[in-house]
Amino acid sequence: MAQEGEHTPNSASGNRPGFLGEALPGSEPLEEGQDLAAAMVSGIGSFLESELARADAALAPGAWTEADISARRGALARSIGVVDNRLPVSALELVGNTLAPALLARTARWEAWAARWPVLPGVEGEGLWLRPVAPPAAHVVVLPDADQAPEALAGLTADIPPSGQIAARLADAGCEVLIPVLVDRGPTWAGGHPRREYVWRMAFEVGRHIIGYEVQRVLALVDHLTAAATDGQPVALYGYGEGGLVALHAAALDRRIAAVVVSGHFRDRREIWREPLYRDVWGLLRAGLGDAGLAALVAPRPLLVEAVSGPVVRGLPSGVPHPGVILSAGTLEPARPELVRHEVERARTAYDRHGAADRLELLEPGPLAEGSAPGQAGGVEALLRVLGLPPHGTPARGCLDRLSPGPEPRARQERQMRQLCDFTQGLLRRSRAVRDTAWQVADRSSPEAWARSCQPFRERFEADVIGCLPEPDVPPRPRSRLVWDRPDWRGYEVLLDVWPGVFASGLLLLPTDIQPGERRPVVVCQHGLEGRARDTVEGPPHGPYRNFARRLAERGYITYAPQNPYVGDEAFRVLQRKSHPLGASLFSVIVAQHRRTLAWLSGLPCVDAARVAFYGLSYGGKAAMRVPALLSGYCLSICSADFNEWAMKCASEDEPQLSYLFGSEYDMYEFDLAHTCNYAEMAGLIAPRPFMVERGHRDGVGTDEWVAFEYARVARLYDELGIGERTELATFVGGHWIDGRASFAFLERHLGDPRGVRRGAQRGGDDGRQRP
């Protein structure tokens, strides 16, 4: 029975009648009856989870050579953005005024001071300095969880029990202790995102990370302590929860750190995609840098894993200022003890290789431990032991004199976050100059020279921004079924395998007047966010797609409307979370699907493989920028309702109504895109093939000014290459939809009349050669 919107066979068709459900010649019958779009998203999710498990299982830190360790240390620094030169710390600056003096408290053994120190231009670290009265026996940086104040770990408040006041306990034992403030998980004033996520979003786009920024604040202290420590005393770290994560990363990067305690954090990271977004790290597992891998970078220095449960984060932060904003999912749950033990044992192979198995210790809490605070499993005693210091008891609060209220916590928290935001916004504003410098080496002497010289940029864009997944290892096994039989065209639903459980699908519209032996141009018509391929064929007449796949088929083009996997809201957005640790993205999958689709289309006897064009709207416009930039099989590209100053669109604080920084779409972020390929550079990778931007003046996806600014760079390139006629910015009075007037003319100008002799300027392929 024909489904709604489908037609029964029509004997008036130009060729023989079709029968609904029959397959295209050369393909098997398509029998799948479920929602193929939802099945696609589900299959991709399962595939990515299997790839995460495979990457995790391949970890063998015991076999790493010194060269392997050095390479991974460099990969870690890049993936968390520890790439900026720190400022020198000649001395700690005391923070106080007449109402709140810098000296906060005093005991018989140490004093607590409010302090800060320079880190990066405009960025400071801030926290507490516990200065021992006697010369220090060691130097320890204590890192609280993100939602803990330094004062709690110093015993200046009663927020945690005395046994968990690890900074005070270490100071009582004669250590100089510094306690930085971490950016917390509370809601920002803008958009309602947790503060850590808000920083993550803008930082990710410029190749930085909230983890890396916190590590920089710690390493600035290590710089100071190692430079000032003429006594030769060791520098150690002790971190809990988010502080444990930062401590582990810092110790993995910097061999000056003599020992580290990781409390309430250590576990395997195969399901890192379930954790809060601000823990999303590009390429983490691809580089083998789960917690066992990071431990291997610490080896053979002492690593003490204190297996307390750590902080629990469930749901959204309280006090969100804009309840209508959808925040990214992500939780922190206590790690199961057996998983912690398993990860420690994997790390032990690296310590065994150094003959230092006793320097990796798993500290598990006893049955009488008080909750999940740091220090509940003997971390303080174990650290003092490895530092060669005698144990010391739990501090008594009655021995502490509180002298000053110190800095106001909320104002201090805002300072710490705002400094990181301002630093990141500066990187964003300067990113165009970085790209311009890098692209100066591209040869503009001719279209052919440009295409050749762009290949290294294309390879970097695919490897470092889009990301690569394994080559498909299954045959395509094309399946199809006829779903429309109209007088002017027939429509087939098509499915092609890509990886196990992952397929590409779409709708192929074939004009009925194609003659035997004739080859026609193809226009690939890509839908947008939450769209379906069918929307481009039989959607609402005045909907965003204006049925452009059908209208082009009626003009004589073969059209193909792929189903892309950005449907299902959180079901597809989490695919980014699953792919990022692999050094991949949603577009890694989409590119692979299109690569397979192109190969299949090019093999159809009625298709002119040299004339396959791409035309996408909205999220499909994103595909129109990225997919043809990487796949030379597309002879031209039209980006509709998406072209932008993309880095600013994702990360700028200056345009709250336009920037994804304030919205729910966390899937938009691509690691270090701002320094590699913005939209002008993506268009440069498409050049010298024809490229068009279709823009409605009232389209809220951007502003005319942003679009014109970025497109001017494209037009200049095409003019410099002597092919200015191959690019166009077509504007119309309207909104977020396909207009079609200028774009259809652009297609005919560069693809030719699909039913007759080609007219207008010839089209150059991606290698710059003229094609017949």
Side-chain angles (χ1 to χ4, degrees):
M1 179 179 294
Q3 299 180 24
E4 181 182 355
E6 297 169 347
H7 290 248
T8 54
N10 187 335
S11 59
S13 302
N15 296 316
R16 69 168 181 81
F19 296 92
L20 292 186
E22 73 176 8
L24 274 168
S27 68
E28 301 175 17
L30 175 59
E31 298 176 349
E32 285 83 347
Q34 74 269 44
D35 181 344
L36 289 183
M40 174 187 291
V41 172
S42 176
I44 293 169
S46 298
F47 169 73
L48 291 172
E49 288 181 41
S50 69
E51 288 298 302
L52 288 168
R54 181 185 304 180
D56 185 68
L59 176 65
W64 290 354
T65 65
E66 287 304 315
D68 293 332
I69 291 170
S70 178
R72 282 173 168 82
R73 194 168 275 128
L76 175 62
R78 289 190 295 275
S79 67
I80 62 173
V82 181
V83 295
D84 302 292
N85 294 326
R86 291 185 296 277
L87 299 175
V89 184
S90 57
L92 299 177
E93 180 182 350
L94 302 181
V95 182
N97 54 45
T98 56
L99 296 178
L103 180 58
L104 308 182
R106 179 186 289 120
T107 74
R109 293 176 175 270
W110 50 269
E111 298 172 336
W113 296 80
R116 62 182 170 220
W117 55 96
V119 181
L120 301 168
V123 176
E124 297 171 325
E126 191 167 352
L128 300 188
W129 174 37
L130 307 189
R131 185 181 70 86
V133 174
H139 311 277
V140 184
V141 180
V142 171
L143 295 155
D145 179 57
D147 289 336
Q148 289 179 325
E151 289 79 4
L153 297 188
L156 274 61
T157 67
D159 295 337
I160 57 177
S163 58
Q165 296 168 7
I166 54 176
R169 294 175 62 187
L170 289 165
D172 278 346
C175 298
E176 178 184 24
V177 180
L178 286 142
I179 319 170
V181 174
L182 269 62
V183 174
D184 69 19
R185 303 183 184 93
T188 71
W189 64 90
H193 304 301
R195 289 187 182 90
R196 295 188 73 80
E197 178 181 328
Y198 186 75
V199 175
W200 178 91
R201 285 174 175 244
M202 65 174 77
F204 201 83
E205 200 73 8
V206 295
R208 305 301 191 273
H209 202 287
I210 181 64
I211 296 173
Y213 283 150
E214 306 276 33
V215 166
Q216 290 279 46
R217 282 174 163 154
V218 172
L219 295 185
L221 286 176
V222 174
D223 295 340
H224 168 65
L225 293 171
T226 53
T230 57
D231 51 16
Q233 300 296 358
V235 176
L237 306 182
Y238 195 137
Y240 169 70
E242 216 67 32
L245 178 151
V246 173
L248 181 58
H249 284 75
L253 285 177
D254 198 321
R255 288 176 288 186
R256 297 174 300 172
I257 296 166
V260 59
V261 181
V262 177
S263 179
H265 169 71
F266 202 87
R267 65 178 73 190
D268 77 74
R269 299 244 107 53
R270 284 174 294 176
E271 293 192 344
I272 190 174
W273 55 274
R274 295 187 187 275
E275 298 178 26
L277 182 61
Y278 47 79
R279 289 188 169 195
D280 183 313
V281 177
W282 176 261
L284 187 77
L285 294 185
R286 179 184 64 181
L289 295 173
D291 285 2
L294 294 175
L297 302 188
V298 177
R301 293 165 288 150
L303 170 59
L304 312 173
V305 177
E306 190 173 44
V308 297
S309 66
V312 174
V313 177
R314 297 191 178 111
L316 305 178
S318 60
V320 175
H322 303 294
V325 174
I326 301 172
L327 304 185
S328 61
T331 62
L332 290 179
E333 299 286 349
R336 299 203 307 272
E338 65 272 17
L339 296 181
V340 178
R341 296 184 196 114
H342 175 70
E343 194 72 0
V344 169
E345 288 309 307
R346 293 206 303 169
R348 196 173 300 284
T349 62
Y351 278 80
D352 288 341
R353 187 175 74 85
H354 290 282
D358 59 332
R359 296 185 182 179
L360 173 61
E361 298 184 41
L362 174 60
L363 310 171
E364 299 190 77
L368 301 180
E370 304 174 42
S372 62
Q376 297 300 309
V380 172
E381 294 84 355
L383 180 59
L384 292 173
R385 172 170 43 79
V386 301
L387 294 177
L389 302 177
H392 201 277
T394 299
R397 282 192 51 80
C399 299
L400 183 143
D401 293 328
R402 187 67 189 264
L403 305 175
S404 168
E408 201 282 316
R410 287 177 297 180
R412 181 176 63 186
Q413 183 62 231
E414 295 298 339
R415 282 196 300 274
Q416 291 289 277
M417 177 185 169
R418 177 44 41 197
Q419 289 170 7
L420 296 181
C421 292
D422 290 346
F423 180 81
T424 306
Q425 293 297 304
L427 292 173
L428 180 64
R429 286 189 289 270
R430 296 188 295 274
S431 63
R432 178 166 56 90
V434 175
R435 296 193 307 273
D436 286 346
T437 299
W439 282 76
Q440 283 178 353
V441 299
D443 188 345
R444 290 169 167 79
S445 62
S446 70
E448 298 82 359
W450 174 263
R452 287 192 300 270
S453 64
C454 278
Q455 189 56 31
F457 294 97
R458 181 175 290 107
E459 292 171 359
R460 183 187 176 195
F461 179 54
E462 182 166 21
D464 295 346
V465 178
I466 299 298
C468 300
L469 288 166
E471 288 293 321
D473 55 0
V474 297
R477 197 167 74 88
R479 284 93 81 195
S480 66
R481 59 184 167 217
L482 183 68
V483 292
W484 289 289
D485 190 4
R486 301 290 176 80
D488 296 329
W489 52 271
R490 291 197 181 102
Y492 293 85
E493 189 169 27
V494 177
L495 191 147
L496 308 166
D497 289 333
V498 181
W499 292 289
V502 178
F503 57 85
S505 69
L507 297 172
L508 178 70
L509 305 189
L510 295 174
T512 54
D513 61 352
I514 298 176
Q515 301 303 309
E518 182 185 6
R519 292 183 179 270
R520 294 259 181 111
V522 179
V523 182
V524 171
C525 301
Q526 190 63 69
H527 67 81
L529 178 66
E530 299 295 348
R532 303 298 176 107
R534 185 179 290 266
D535 297 337
T536 68
V537 181
E538 283 197 336
H542 299 290
Y545 303 106
R546 302 297 202 266
N547 297 315
F548 73 122
R550 187 191 73 206
R551 290 163 58 202
L552 286 166
E554 290 168 349
R555 287 171 173 249
Y557 295 100
I558 297 170
T559 65
Y560 185 79
Q563 179 62 54
N564 270 5
Y566 34 75
V567 295
D569 195 29
E570 183 64 20
F572 93 81
R573 295 189 199 283
V574 77
L575 298 180
Q576 288 286 56
R577 301 293 317 278
K578 294 179 179 181
S579 58
H580 280 179
L582 298 167
S585 68
L586 183 62
F587 271 102
S588 305
V589 178
I590 292 171
V591 168
Q593 290 173 317
H594 276 260
R595 186 175 277 121
R596 182 136 284 189
T597 298
L598 269 174
W600 175 75
L601 282 172
S602 298
L604 295 179
C606 57
V607 167
D608 182 349
R611 292 189 290 162
V612 181
F614 196 109
Y615 187 172
L617 174 83
S618 191
Y619 220 121
K622 293 173 188 38
M625 297 306 305
R626 291 157 179 79
V627 176
L630 296 178
L631 301 185
S632 61
Y634 285 115
C635 70
L636 67 79
S637 184
I638 301 175
C639 174
S640 179
D642 183 70
F643 192 87
N644 243 306
E645 212 293 2
W646 191 251
M648 299 294 284
K649 169 77 174 173
C650 286
S652 174
E653 291 187 300
D654 295 338
E655 297 283 351
Q657 300 305 313
L658 297 174
S659 177
Y660 288 122
L661 189 59
F662 302 91
S664 61
E665 298 95 335
Y666 66 83
D667 53 293
M668 296 298 177
Y669 292 93
E670 296 160 294
F671 190 67
D672 206 19
L673 177 141
H675 289 124
T676 50
C677 280
N678 205 343
Y679 271 20
E681 287 76 26
M682 292 183 206
L685 295 178
I686 294 170
R689 293 166 287 167
F691 172 71
M692 182 185 198
V693 173
E694 185 177 47
R695 158 79 188 167
H697 289 304
R698 299 171 185 157
D699 189 348
V701 76
T703 65
D704 285 348
E705 291 78 8
W706 273 19
V707 174
F709 172 82
E710 191 71 5
Y711 179 77
R713 296 161 59 79
V714 179
R716 180 176 63 197
L717 170 65
Y718 275 72
D719 285 344
E720 289 175 343
L721 295 176
I723 52 172
E725 75 284 353
R726 295 186 193 175
T727 188
E728 182 178 344
L729 169 60
T731 59
F732 62 94
V733 179
H736 196 73
W737 59 72
I738 294 285
D739 181 61
R741 289 171 292 182
S743 58
F744 285 14
F746 187 84
L747 288 168
E748 184 168 343
R749 186 161 69 250
H750 294 286
L751 296 179
D753 182 347
R755 290 192 172 99
V757 179
R758 296 183 64 198
R759 298 194 296 269
Q762 284 194 315
R763 172 190 48 81
D766 69 295
D767 57 0
R769 293 176 294 180
Q770 299 293 326
R771 297 184 187 272

